[in-house]
Amino acid sequence: LKGFFKKRIAKILIPYLISGVVTFLAHLLMRYKFTPSEIFNSLFTGDPIVKYSWYVLVILLLYLIFYIAARFLKKPILILPAVLAGTVGYAVIVETQFSWGNWTINSCLAFSFGILFAMYRDKYGPLLRGGKKTTLFMLVSALLAAVAVILNFVNSKIPVFLLMANPDFADYIMRSP
């Protein structure tokens, strides 16, 4: 964990803060003034000042969960369940207390998958390095995923252009049962 924050957090937080300052200045040029409470609350409401940058806040929180787990548990085989439990706890809190939306929850499991992949990189990494079978598998997987998404849109009877034009509508659809 030596240098963990410097290697990961700084590379995410510094560009995020710069984009926040640029966004703030752009809003000032358009004569909109953020109040200090708007700026502070934007970190917790799921609607940050830099539009659609919720993922930066999620990554920072997941890195914090990982750091705490790794600091106290030491063994990789224990870190993964702890991070997964922390992620589920985060998801429950976000959904029940803040209602940020399912996009903050859906993306979190990829973080745990990344830890799992890192644990077994030496064993399974060569499978992903190329070759005809791997390329064919990736192409077939991508094609099947695309077909699944297209069928989902066709069955929902909602025009795709409507979803692209209005991301809030897409978010509403994702929340409804």
Side-chain angles (χ1 to χ4, degrees), residues 83-94:
V83 170
L84 195 54
T87 301
V88 169
Y90 156 79
V92 168
I93 291 169
V94 162

Side-chain angles (χ1 to χ4, degrees), residues 2-173:
K2 187 178 180 182
F4 178 81
F5 287 106
K6 188 176 184 179
K7 283 172 64 177
R8 288 177 180 81
I9 304 294
K11 289 180 181 179
I12 295 170
L13 193 56
I14 292 171
Y16 181 69
L17 292 175
I18 291 170
S19 65
V21 169
V22 169
T23 301
F24 181 77
L25 293 174
H27 277 85
L28 281 179
L29 288 173
M30 293 186 294
R31 299 180 194 258
Y32 180 82
K33 295 181 181 175
F34 288 108
T35 64
S37 65
E38 277 181 298
I39 294 170
F40 180 76
N41 289 336
S42 77
L43 298 173
F44 303 101
T45 61
D47 188 23
I49 289 175
V50 179
K51 197 80 167 151
Y52 303 113
S53 66
W54 55 267
Y55 61 91
V56 175
L57 302 175
V58 172
I59 290 170
L60 292 172
L61 185 64
L62 291 172
Y63 276 157
L64 181 63
I65 291 170
F66 175 82
Y67 180 80
I68 291 169
R71 177 95 164 94
F72 292 107
L73 298 176
K74 308 287 186 210
K75 294 182 181 179
I77 198 74
L78 298 175
I79 294 170
L80 180 61
V83 170
L84 195 54
T87 301
V88 169
Y90 156 79
V92 168
I93 291 169
V94 162
E95 189 58 36
T96 60
Q97 301 299 315
F98 298 112
S99 299
W100 279 12
N102 59 5
W103 26 264
T104 57
I105 297 167
N106 294 343
S107 60
C108 290
L109 294 178
F111 189 81
S112 295
F113 181 75
I115 294 171
L116 184 65
F117 181 77
M119 288 170 58
Y120 295 102
R121 179 184 322 180
D122 294 337
K123 187 174 183 180
Y124 296 110
L127 292 174
L128 299 175
R129 288 206 181 100
K132 291 180 183 179
K133 288 182 181 179
T134 302
T135 304
L136 181 63
F137 174 76
M138 295 295 190
L139 287 173
V140 169
S141 298
L143 182 64
L144 289 174
V147 168
V149 168
I150 291 168
L151 287 175
N152 188 22
F153 281 123
V154 169
N155 288 335
S156 69
K157 297 181 175 54
I158 298 169
V160 175
F161 68 86
L162 182 61
L163 296 174
M164 287 190 272
N166 190 350
D168 293 330
F169 182 63
D171 190 44
Y172 169 76
I173 290 171

